[in-house]
């Protein structure tokens, strides 16, 4: 009996090693097909892409914001001014996108893609407003704000900043413009 079991085990091992055509489940995708939704027939493609690039440029400048618990009132006011400048720039992009939507109101792809990019701008604006809220908490000597990394002020700042970043990555990765 033991001998038969050994032979069966050896037979199974030998069969699995010698068979080269083991069937695996493989997805049937074509290399030329896009991952996500294809946005076709954009009437103002250059304008929309230019607005997206402007948002990316503004976002790259958002990394220089320096807010700390030790900041003087003058530093906080300068940072608040910088943040307000970023908001103004993002509002210009939002207005451009709204004008684009009004200009091409008969084009679903233009409206759809404009709204996607507006969502990114809105996320960054909310994050910046929350940073301004933190600055105001510092100016009023709020003890909770002084903890900074352990405070409740930074969680929503990072949430909305990351939300905008994820949306940009989603657009860059999954949207195919033609």
């Amino acid at each position: 009996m033991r001998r038969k079991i050994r032979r069966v085990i050896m037979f199974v091992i030998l069969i699995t090693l010698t068979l080269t055509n083991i069937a695996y489940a493989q997805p049937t995708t074509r290399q030329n097909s896009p991952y996500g939704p294809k946005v076709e027939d954009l009437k103002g493609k250059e304008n929309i892409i230019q607005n997206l690039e402007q948002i990316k440029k503004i976002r790259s400048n958002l990394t220089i914001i320096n807010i700390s618990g030790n900041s003087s009132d003058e530093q906080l006011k300068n940072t608040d001014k910088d943040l307000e400048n970023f908001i103004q720039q993002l509002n210009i992009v939002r207005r451009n996108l709204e004008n684009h939507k009004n200009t091409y109101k008969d084009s679903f792809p233009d409206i759809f893609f404009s709204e996607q990019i507006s969502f990114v701008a809105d996320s960054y604006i909310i994050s910046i407003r929350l940073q301004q809220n933190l600055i105001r908490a510092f100016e009023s000597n709020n003890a909770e704000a002084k903890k900074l990394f352990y405070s409740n002020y930074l969680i929503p700042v990072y949430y909305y900043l990351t939300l905008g970043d994820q949306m940009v990555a989603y657009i860059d990765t999954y949207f195919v413009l033609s």
Side-chain angles (χ1 to χ4, degrees):
M1 181 73 170
R2 282 183 131 182
R3 206 171 204 195
K4 285 184 182 182
I5 293 175
R6 280 186 187 174
R7 284 184 183 171
V8 168
I9 291 174
M10 291 300 285
F11 180 71
V12 169
I13 291 174
L14 184 63
I15 292 292
T16 56
L17 292 176
T18 58
L19 288 178
T20 58
N21 285 339
I22 299 175
Y24 293 103
Q26 294 180 353
T28 56
T29 59
R30 289 178 281 161
Q31 294 296 333
N32 298 337
S33 64
Y35 289 115
K38 187 172 187 177
V39 181
E40 297 179 303
D41 302 326
L42 283 171
K43 294 179 181 174
K45 180 179 177 180
E46 296 81 25
N47 185 27
I48 289 180
I49 292 174
Q50 182 181 21
N51 284 311
L52 180 60
E53 292 303 318
Q54 183 65 27
I55 288 175
K56 289 178 183 180
K57 183 178 170 185
I58 294 167
R59 171 60 179 101
S60 68
N61 291 330
L62 281 175
T63 60
I64 61 170
I65 303 300
N66 185 11
I67 302 173
S68 69
N70 303 354
S71 298
S72 67
D73 287 340
E74 185 65 31
Q75 289 171 325
L76 291 174
K77 286 180 184 176
N78 288 337
T79 302
D80 191 45
K81 245 188 261 183
D82 291 341
L83 292 173
E84 194 61 42
N85 184 30
F86 287 130
I87 290 173
Q88 289 174 359
Q89 292 174 17
L90 287 167
N91 278 329
I92 289 170
V93 172
R94 281 176 49 197
R95 275 194 300 276
N96 289 344
L97 292 168
E98 283 299 318
N99 290 339
H100 184 86
K101 284 176 21 182
N102 290 336
T103 302
Y104 300 107
K105 59 185 168 195
D106 295 335
S107 171
F108 176 77
D110 284 273
I111 292 172
F112 174 66
F113 203 57
S114 293
E115 288 173 345
Q116 295 283 319
I117 297 170
S118 292
F119 178 80
V120 174
D122 289 339
S123 296
Y124 290 150
I125 288 172
I126 292 170
S127 176
I128 293 169
R129 289 286 185 210
L130 288 164
Q131 291 175 51
Q132 287 180 317
N133 187 36
L134 176 63
I135 289 172
R136 282 157 183 71
F138 280 148
E139 290 174 341
S140 65
N141 291 324
N142 186 330
E144 174 71 18
K146 295 288 182 185
K147 298 179 200 173
L148 202 57
F149 288 107
Y150 300 105
S151 73
N152 291 331
Y153 286 91
L154 286 183
I155 294 169
V157 168
Y158 290 126
Y159 172 77
Y160 285 103
L161 195 61
T162 305
L163 185 63
D165 291 346
Q166 287 175 344
M167 190 63 189
V168 168
Y170 173 76
I171 290 170
D172 287 343
T173 303
Y174 293 111
F175 273 75
V176 177
L177 301 177
S178 61

